Amino acid sequence: MRLSDELPVDHQLATVYRYGAALCGLILLVFGTLGFADRLRPFDTAGRHIAGMSTNGLLSLVSIVFGLALIAGAVVGGNVASTLNMVVGSLFLLSGFVHLVVLDRSANILDFGMANVMFSFVMGLVVLTFGMYGRVSGRLPHDNPYWRRRHAREAARESLARRRTAGPLDELIRTAADDADPAALSSSEAARGRTAR
């Protein structure tokens, strides 16, 4: 089973993946663009701040690359956006842990401060949540396309049972309508219309 085959292209979950990727990508793109607009040197660790976070040219470049990747995923949509959200979210969480270790050390080439670490954790969790929404859970509803894909036999049994229970009932309604007096049928339909109002 491949993750990319599980979600129908037109499913409503694809909208969540798209908007999540576009929103987070736009935030990263703005942050990176502000860093370039400030003409920061690539490996400067002097503590220049943009939007409350320390940054340098390299961090601006990384932010723009990931922002563009998320926006491209939003344009493509579907499973691509979901999988890309999960990958980027995981990378942001990993980055948060790594930079927590290298704070105030020479290995901190992206000039991360504690605000950057917190942003990395928060952005990672948000992007990861958008990617996993409706896709990863122990209690997905049975009409969810991921559940149906993972439990194909049970989904087929449920679908067959639904058709069987609906089949005789539909036949009964059709038979009753054929046997009914047309005048009585039209008066009962009118009564149902008044009740519905």
Side-chain angles (χ1 to χ4, degrees):
M1 172 174 72
R2 289 176 33 206
L3 286 175
S4 60
D5 294 335
E6 292 182 358
L7 182 66
V9 175
D10 61 344
H11 196 272
Q12 61 191 3
L13 289 174
T15 306
V16 174
Y17 306 143
R18 283 188 146 175
Y19 285 140
L23 173 70
C24 295
L26 189 63
I27 291 169
L28 292 173
L29 197 59
V30 167
F31 178 74
T33 304
L34 288 174
F36 277 130
D38 206 22
R39 295 184 182 163
L40 299 172
R41 294 193 332 242
F43 296 102
D44 185 20
T45 56
R48 300 288 303 260
H49 285 75
I50 293 179
M53 294 180 282
S54 58
T55 188
N56 61 19
L58 184 58
L59 182 57
S60 296
L61 177 66
V62 169
S63 297
I64 287 177
V65 167
F66 277 102
L68 289 174
L70 285 171
I71 290 172
V75 169
V76 173
N79 290 332
V80 172
S82 173
T83 303
L84 186 64
N85 284 346
M86 288 193 293
V87 168
V88 170
S90 300
L91 289 174
F92 266 78
L93 287 175
L94 180 65
S95 171
F97 283 115
V98 167
H99 284 96
L100 193 59
V101 172
V102 299
L103 275 179
D104 299 327
R105 295 200 171 114
S106 60
N108 188 4
I109 61 171
L110 294 179
D111 193 29
F112 260 53
M114 187 49 89
N116 297 71
V117 171
M118 296 308 294
F119 176 80
S120 188
F121 283 137
V122 170
M123 181 61 84
L125 287 172
V126 168
V127 175
L128 195 59
T129 301
F130 274 122
M132 294 189 317
Y133 181 78
R135 189 171 185 173
V136 179
S137 172
R139 296 183 183 189
L140 292 174
H142 290 206
D143 64 342
N144 183 293
Y146 293 111
W147 185 90
R148 296 184 72 71
R149 172 79 176 184
R150 292 176 188 145
H151 304 93
R153 285 186 178 176
E154 193 174 340
R157 269 186 260 135
E158 285 181 5
S159 179
L160 183 61
R162 227 177 292 124
R163 275 186 265 144
R164 283 183 182 159
T165 58
L169 184 59
D170 289 339
E171 187 62 33
L172 183 64
I173 291 170
R174 262 188 251 112
T175 305
D178 291 341
D179 293 341
D181 180 25
L185 186 61
S186 62
S187 66
S188 68
E189 285 174 356
R192 252 188 267 136
R194 282 194 299 268
T195 308
R197 290 182 202 153

